Every structure is written in structure tokens, then in C-alpha cells.
Amino acid sequence: MTQREALDEGQGARSAVRDELLECLQSIALVHGHDVSADSLTAGLPLEQGRLTPGVFPRAASRAGLSARMAKSRLVQLNPALFPVVLLLEPGRACVLLALDLKARRARVIFPELGEAETEVDLDGLQSSYSGQAIYVRPRFRFDARGPEVTRQRGRHWFWGVIRENRRLYRDVIAGSVVINLFALGMPLFVLNVYDRVVPNHATETLWVLAVGVFIVLCFDLALRLMRGAFVDLAASRADVKLSSRLMSQVLGLRLSSRPTSTGSFASTLQSFESVRSFIGSATVVGVVDLPFVLLFATIIALIGPPLVIPVLVGIAFVLLYALAAQGKLHELSETTWRASAQRNATLIESISQLETLKSLRGESRVQGIWERASAFLSRTSAQLRMVSSSVSNVALWAQHSVSVAVVITGVYLIIEGELTQGGLIAAYLLSSRAMAPVSQAAALLAQYHQAATAMQSLDGLMELPVERGEAKSFIDRPVVRGELRFDHVTFRYPDEQREALRDVSLTLDAGEKVAVLGRVGCGKTTLHKLLLGLYDPSAGAVSLDGVDVHQFDPVQLRRHFGYVPQDVMLFHGSLRDNILAGSGSDAVDDESLLRAIRLSGLDALVDGHPDGIDLQVGERGQRLSGGQRQQVAIARALVHEPRILLLDEPTSAMDHSSEEALKARLKEVGQGKTILIVTHRTSLLSLVDRIVVIDAGTVMADGPRDQVIEALRKGQIGRAES
């Protein structure tokens, strides 16, 4: 199968599809004075076929300083005070409504295919294609430095803010719980009347009336319980989707300088969200909502027989005091368990990712020992946590039964003294169990609460880490660049490192210049690439592209200008096509560009010679490909968007001589007019460049024409930097 056949079979002929919803958002943002690029609005969002969806629209709008809200309304009922508004048309199209003239039956709109030009259309014609859904988009007011804070302004919490969005559902849950707890009085009152009135008087007609009434109450109670559970689960599922998306967005947007050092521990922190999610489930919410009704049941018991409420109050106080006494230990054990679990998970992730290396070095014994020691400690700690937690639950259950026994004993003496009826005793017994149940349930939730609180604390720490694209950050729009690069007295130190990776480095690469960076291992060559890509911030100095500091660019737009081949190539699970087109929707690259990138990288031999062609699965981390083939995929990925600048870090380190020579010839072809910065130890690649920079210990030791620097190196005229 040839490359062309593989492409045609995999996706067929494609035509450019406009993202009308995105263009409508840009039009409205421009109306409100916010000129934002498409990259800034959609970077990192889950697009469908490369296009914005109504569900994701509010998240994109927030990046332009706007708020968006979906509304279902007839066209003529839309609020003119909130214009312009985005109209969702049939099928899958959109436009911007600017104004309505109901008398003339005309509307002023902006259709994305016509650019920013306003068009006047017939209102009836627009109504026929209108889907009935519109999106109101309004600018958010932002305080600047001139607006002093009267009180400390706190942003919306990432977790509780989402929970508050479902307050209407929780309001219905509370209303349903009130009625359910009132219905709970039905059964004790039924028993009381049967024993006190029906049985002594043999009033069977009254019995059936009471039975029908209590059966109706039980039916309504069942319906309300089912509805309450459904509402709680619906609210939890809605929150789960938004919170999971928010967490993943935070992870992907983190600055690399703030990234946790351990991947496994970091993954464990994210997984701890499961304990938070389960805690806000139905059992917790229902238990908390039912707790205040303990006072209602205690009051009813007191009305039946005042002495009967004393055991109930004593039992409630005893359970609460024991639960409070156990809180400190539960909190300590929850934190210890979480830390031990995170550490063990870090060992697991590291071992799996380095399994081949472990086997090659015969390091299984060391890792097995670390795993077993961590597992033993975690097992002991978890057992202690379970013991304390179960003791709270068991003491609460014991107290509930003891209270029931005490109520029966007290009731018998009251009956003997004629102060209580038999029906009243049974009703009080049932109500005492109903009063103690929420208290027991709340006590049992304490351990789960501490686990959720520990997880929430770690997640709060994650959500407070700085991200590349802050809400108040604005970027310039530079869709086209010349390719001039500049390091102006740049000093940089990696996080938690004592030694500086770069020290007062000043370099300038003119647009279209080809430069190689040479130096010993760990001298800071790769760091130059990472700073250019905006992955890290220099400790001092500035890195600029076309004279503009790289941090003024939107991170996605900045990296679009670079074709980057890293030293350690990591591929994603999926096909060759998926990995070459990583970072963009498949509709953003036409077949000719994809074929050209495959040819230039040298992947054409693999694609043409394999039955699956470009749909060949590469496996996790590209383990089904050789090191040289992974580098070819990385090169194709760097070239497919035809960037203005190429950053190549040891691009041929895993290739044989013939593959390297073929790649050099192709790079000479593709490099015409492009700025190229090559980091290499191979002298064979120096024929691609006109200039060489030598770095040692983070300091520039030599910078000049290729032949002169090579000659100086050969003669030993270039020394080493002082450490």
C-alpha cells in the first residue's frame, strides 16, 4: 500500500470545514474590544473534529474575558439588551445576531463565511433555520489597580464553586428530605393508634382507614426517596464531569517549573479525587440532610412521654463525644495513609515505565524490597484507620441498640404507673431508632470525611500551582513571524537545582540563519530549546522572537512557530498518523503536507512497506518502533505544519549513517529560508549550519563561522568555563 492509498483509505478526500462557532465568538469578542486569536481561545479544549462545540463554548469565551450562557428561546423573544448573541442554526451552523427589527421583519447578522461584514436578512427566513438555542455572551468586569480592595477578594473555589452550580438540585433534595422525615412519623403514629384505639375497641373499620392512609404515605415516601437519590446522583454526576475537566485542564496547563517531581505521586494526587467524589455522593448528602430532624423525632418522643427522651439525648451525646474524640486520630491516620499510598504508587509507576531497564540491570530485588516495605507500612496504617473508623461505627450502633433498650425499660415503668400506653411505648421505640439512625450514619462518615479532607487538601495544592495561561493574562497575536531569535543576558536554574544551567548567555540568530550548538553533556544546550519554547522562564534576562519576549505570545501560538525534535522522543499510544498530527485536529493538515512530512523524515519506507501503512500502531511510548524510527516520527511531526523555525536536539542520534545522510539532504531542502538551531555532538551534522556556538557549564565559550570554530576546536584554542 502506498502512502497516498493509505491516506485515502484512512480518511478519504477532505475539505476544509469552517469552525463557525469559534468565528462567531471572535466576532463578539471584537465587538467588546477583545481581539483574541483562535489558538488562544481553543488551546487545550476538547474539540470535536477540530471544532468548538456549544458545551465547550463558555470555557472558550472565558479566555476572551467574556461570560457565556446557553438559552432556549424563540427568536423574537431574545433580549435585545444582551445583543449581540450567537444563534445556533440548523444543521450545526451558527451566526451572530446584532439587531432585530420586528416591525420590518428584518434582522442584522454576521455570517462567519462573510467575515466581519454585517448582513441584513429576512426575519422569517432566519427563523426557519434557527434551532431554538442561542448563546448570550457578555464581557466580564475586571478590577484594576485603581480599585482598592475593601475586603480580600477571593476567586471562585474550583470545587465548591461547581457544587454551588447545582444548588437548585440540592434545594429540591432538602425539600424532599423534609417531607420524607415527616412521612417517617406515619408508621409510629399508625402503631400508636392501632394499639391504643383500634385493638381495645375492635374498630376494624378504623384499622382499614389507618392502613390505607399509612400505605399511601409509604408509597409517597418510596417515590420521594427514589427521586431524592436520582437528584443527588444527577448533581454529583454534573459536578464530576466539570471537576474532572477542571483538574485535567489544570494538569495540562501547569508550568513545568511547578510540576511535581514524582509522576507516580502526582498521579496518586489526581486519583484521590475519587474519595472526594464518593464523599459528595448520596449517602453523605442524605445523612447530613437528615441530621437536623433528630430534634423533631426527639420532640415527638417527649410529647409521648417526657422521660422517654432522656435515653435518646444521652445516646446522641455519647455518640457525638466519642466521634469527636476519634477525630484527631482519624485525621492523622488518613494523612499518613495518603502519603504512604502516594509513595507506593510512585514506585509502581516508575517500575512499570522502566521495566526493561530494571530487568536489564537485574534491579528487581531492590524495587521488590521497596514495594514490600511500603506495602507493609501501608497495610499497618490502613488497618489502624479501619479499626478506629469501625470503632466509631460500632459504638454508634451499640449506642442505638442501648437507647432502644433503655426506652423500652423506661416505658414499661411508665405503663405500670399509668403514665404511658402500650401503643405509646411502641411508637417511642420506633422513633428512638429513627432519631439515632442519622447520628450513627454521621458518625460512620467521619473516617470517609477525613480521607476526603486529606484528598481535598492535596488537590487544593495542585489547583493553586501556577499555569501557563492565567485568567488575567493577555497575549499578543502573531500568526506570522520572521524567525529572529535572541537570548539577552539569560541566566536560568532548574527548580530544586543548585547549579545554574545557563549563565549570562547572549545570542542572536537572524531570520533564516542555521546555527549548531556544541558542548559537553549537561552544559545547557537543550535548555536553550526549552526556553525558546516558553516551557520555562529565565531567572534573569529575556528570550525573544522577532524582538518580542516569548512570554507575550500565547503558548500554543508560540510553539506553532517551532518545529521541535527532542533528544528523548516519546510517542503516544495510537497510529503513526495520530503521532505525526499530534497537537492539531486531523482536518488542520491536508494530505499533501502529511505526505511531504513523511517523505522528508524518511518514514516513507516504513509506511510503504507495512500493510497498515500510516495507520500502523506504534504502541505505548512508541515501543513497537526502533529508536531511529521514533526519531523519524518526531521529525515528521516537527515538519508537518511547515514551521518557520526548527529546533533539533540530537535528531540523528539513533540513526545509522545512511539514514543520517539521507536526512541531511532532506533538511537542506526543507531548511531553505528557515531558522534552524541544532544541538548535536555529531560533527557530520555541522555541514547543515553556517555558524557554531560552543557552550560549557552554561556559558558561551565560542561563537562564530562554522569553519573558524571547528579549526579552533581542533587546535584546542577554546577553553572550558570555570565551575
Side-chain angles (χ1 to χ4, degrees):
M1 181 184 294
T2 65
Q3 300 170 33
R4 170 58 66 184
E5 290 171 344
L7 285 167
D8 289 343
E9 182 177 341
Q11 65 190 56
R14 291 178 299 186
S15 59
V17 180
R18 303 183 65 94
D19 190 346
E20 296 192 358
L21 204 54
L22 176 59
E23 294 181 35
C24 288
L25 176 56
Q26 287 182 288
S27 297
I28 293 185
L30 197 59
V31 169
H32 293 299
H34 302 274
D35 189 6
V36 288
S37 66
D39 289 334
S40 299
L41 293 175
T42 61
L45 296 181
L47 309 179
E48 291 187 6
Q49 298 180 348
R51 293 184 295 180
L52 197 63
T53 61
V56 181
F57 188 94
R59 294 161 65 181
S62 66
R63 297 184 175 183
L66 307 171
S67 62
R69 180 177 61 87
M70 185 78 71
K72 291 184 178 180
S73 173
R74 294 179 56 197
L75 191 59
V76 295
Q77 293 177 336
L78 292 173
N79 188 349
L82 300 179
F83 286 2
V85 61
V86 177
L87 301 182
L88 302 183
L89 308 178
E90 301 284 0
R93 301 188 60 219
C95 71
V96 178
L97 176 62
L98 300 174
L100 283 176
D101 188 345
L102 298 181
K103 293 182 179 179
R105 305 296 294 176
R106 306 291 290 176
R108 258 191 319 121
V109 298
I110 297 177
F111 289 108
E113 58 266 31
L114 299 180
E116 299 299 325
E118 298 180 10
T119 306
E120 191 169 298
V121 298
D122 179 67
L123 183 58
D124 295 328
L126 183 63
Q127 178 72 55
S128 63
S129 59
Y130 174 53
S131 66
Q133 290 185 318
I135 305 177
Y136 289 114
V137 184
R138 301 297 299 166
R140 291 176 176 172
F141 183 80
R142 293 186 181 275
F143 289 99
D144 57 25
R146 298 169 298 174
E149 293 184 359
V150 179
T151 58
R152 184 180 177 184
Q153 298 291 326
R154 299 187 63 184
R156 176 179 132 162
H157 192 272
W158 68 274
F159 181 81
W160 297 115
V162 174
I163 297 299
R164 280 197 296 270
E165 290 179 2
N166 298 297
R167 56 185 177 274
R168 293 184 178 180
L169 281 174
Y170 287 119
R171 178 197 61 193
D172 295 338
V173 168
I174 293 174
S177 297
V178 171
V179 179
I180 288 172
N181 282 280
L182 291 176
F183 283 167
L185 299 175
M187 200 65 190
L189 294 178
F190 170 74
V191 172
L192 186 149
N193 282 280
V194 167
Y195 275 88
D196 290 351
R197 292 176 174 79
V198 173
V199 173
N201 299 308
H202 302 284
T204 54
E205 294 85 356
T206 304
L207 173 66
W208 280 105
V209 171
L210 292 174
V212 171
V214 78
F215 180 74
I216 293 174
V217 168
L218 292 176
C219 290
F220 276 106
D221 179 76
L222 173 62
L224 285 174
R225 288 179 183 275
L226 293 175
M227 292 175 62
R228 181 177 66 173
F231 285 168
V232 171
D233 291 338
L234 177 60
S237 64
R238 286 181 179 177
D240 181 30
V241 172
K242 288 194 174 184
L243 292 172
S244 299
S245 300
R246 181 72 180 87
L247 282 171
M248 193 60 183
S249 177
Q250 177 74 5
V251 170
L252 297 178
L254 279 179
R255 291 185 179 274
L256 290 186
S257 57
S258 305
R259 181 181 57 183
T261 54
S262 171
T263 302
S265 179
F266 191 27
S268 181
T269 298
L270 295 174
Q271 291 169 356
S272 65
F273 175 64
E274 296 294 331
S275 60
V276 178
R277 178 169 55 185
S278 63
F279 186 73
I280 63 173
S282 56
T284 305
V285 175
V286 171
V288 172
V289 170
D290 286 347
L291 196 58
F293 293 96
V294 170
L295 298 177
L296 172 65
F297 298 128
T299 302
I300 300 299
I301 294 173
L303 292 176
I304 294 174
L308 296 175
V309 79
I310 296 176
V312 176
L313 297 178
V314 172
I316 292 173
F318 176 76
V319 171
L320 292 179
L321 288 174
Y322 185 84
L324 290 173
Q327 279 215 39
K329 192 64 175 177
L330 284 172
H331 184 71
E332 177 187 348
L333 290 173
S334 295
E335 285 192 345
T336 304
T337 301
W338 183 87
R339 293 183 62 189
S341 178
Q343 183 172 322
R344 188 178 70 161
N345 192 61
T347 302
L348 174 64
I349 298 298
E350 187 177 33
S351 301
I352 292 175
S353 61
Q354 302 293 332
L355 189 58
E356 183 177 337
T357 303
L358 277 175
K359 289 181 176 294
S360 302
L361 298 177
R362 294 169 292 128
E364 298 96 333
S365 177
R366 172 181 170 274
V367 174
Q368 185 71 26
I370 294 174
W371 175 266
E372 290 186 3
R373 285 192 295 272
S375 297
F377 178 78
L378 182 60
S379 177
R380 291 194 303 271
T381 308
S382 299
Q384 294 176 12
L385 178 61
R386 287 193 299 270
M387 183 182 68
V388 176
S389 175
S390 62
S391 73
V392 175
S393 301
N394 292 331
V395 165
L397 183 62
W398 173 84
Q400 182 175 346
H401 292 320
S402 299
V403 166
S404 298
V405 172
V407 167
V408 170
I409 293 174
T410 305
V412 169
Y413 279 98
L414 292 176
I415 291 175
I416 293 174
E417 295 176 3
E419 297 180 4
L420 183 69
T421 63
Q422 186 175 359
L425 173 60
I426 298 176
Y429 170 80
L430 295 176
L431 287 171
S432 68
S433 298
R434 192 71 178 82
M436 290 297 298
V439 178
S440 302
Q441 187 177 13
L445 287 171
L446 273 179
Q448 188 179 355
Y449 161 74
H450 285 290
Q451 293 175 2
T454 302
M456 178 68 79
Q457 185 178 1
S458 63
L459 290 172
D460 278 339
L462 166 63
M463 299 304 293
E464 290 173 359
L465 294 176
V467 293
E468 291 183 325
R469 187 183 288 102
E471 291 185 2
K473 179 72 173 176
S474 59
F475 303 99
I476 65 171
D477 186 15
R478 286 288 185 93
V480 179
V481 297
R482 300 190 313 274
E484 177 189 321
L485 305 176
R486 181 179 176 84
F487 293 84
D488 187 11
H489 298 286
V490 170
T491 298
F492 174 72
R493 176 186 292 136
Y494 284 102
D496 302 324
E497 287 288 337
Q498 300 296 323
R499 186 175 59 88
E500 292 173 337
L502 295 176
R503 290 186 293 178
D504 196 30
V505 172
S506 293
L507 287 174
T508 299
L509 281 70
D510 295 330
E513 191 173 9
K514 280 74 175 172
V515 179
V517 181
L518 306 181
R520 293 183 296 166
V521 173
C523 69
K525 304 184 301 295
T526 299
T527 303
L528 296 175
H529 286 174
K530 294 180 179 179
L531 292 177
L532 283 171
L533 292 167
L535 300 177
Y536 293 95
D537 298 332
S539 307
V543 181
S544 60
L545 170 60
D546 286 354
V548 179
D549 192 295
V550 294
H551 290 97
Q552 293 189 37
F553 290 81
D554 182 273
V556 172
Q557 189 179 73
L558 170 70
R559 291 157 196 164
R560 186 182 296 277
H561 297 314
F562 292 94
Y564 178 48
V565 179
Q567 185 174 4
D568 298 322
V569 178
M570 299 296 292
L571 303 184
F572 303 101
H573 175 76
S575 65
L576 283 174
R577 184 204 310 274
D578 297 333
N579 278 275
I580 294 174
L581 298 178
S584 65
S586 59
D587 57 337
V589 178
D590 58 33
D591 292 348
E592 294 301 327
S593 298
L594 183 55
L595 287 172
R596 180 172 178 270
I598 291 173
R599 178 181 62 82
L600 292 172
S601 66
L603 271 177
D604 48 349
L606 173 63
V607 172
D608 289 345
H610 197 280
D612 293 334
I614 199 169
D615 291 322
L616 167 67
Q617 296 294 311
V618 303
E620 288 189 6
R621 296 177 291 111
Q623 60 187 7
R624 295 185 182 180
L625 303 181
S626 68
Q629 288 172 332
R630 287 197 293 270
Q631 282 191 323
Q632 289 176 330
V633 175
I635 293 168
R637 187 162 58 192
L639 297 177
V640 71
H641 294 289
E642 301 184 9
R644 187 65 180 171
I645 307 163
L646 292 178
L647 305 179
L648 309 178
D649 193 351
E650 299 289 356
T652 61
S653 59
M655 295 185 186
D656 56 70
H657 179 71
S658 60
S659 298
E660 183 182 55
E661 290 299 318
L663 177 63
K664 283 169 55 180
R666 290 188 288 264
L667 285 177
K668 287 183 179 179
E669 171 192 343
V670 75
Q672 297 297 323
K674 296 184 185 297
T675 304
I676 300 179
L677 183 61
I678 302 178
V679 170
T680 183
H681 289 102
R682 292 196 176 189
T683 58
S684 57
L685 291 179
L686 298 182
S687 60
L688 295 173
V689 304
D690 306 314
R691 174 182 161 199
I692 294 177
V693 176
V694 180
I695 293 182
D696 188 67
T699 303
V700 176
M701 304 304 298
D703 181 2
R706 177 189 61 194
D707 296 336
Q708 292 182 14
V709 175
I710 290 176
E711 182 65 18
L713 286 171
R714 187 180 64 81
K715 293 180 179 180
Q717 296 176 348
I718 300 176
R720 292 186 173 182
E722 296 182 2
S723 301

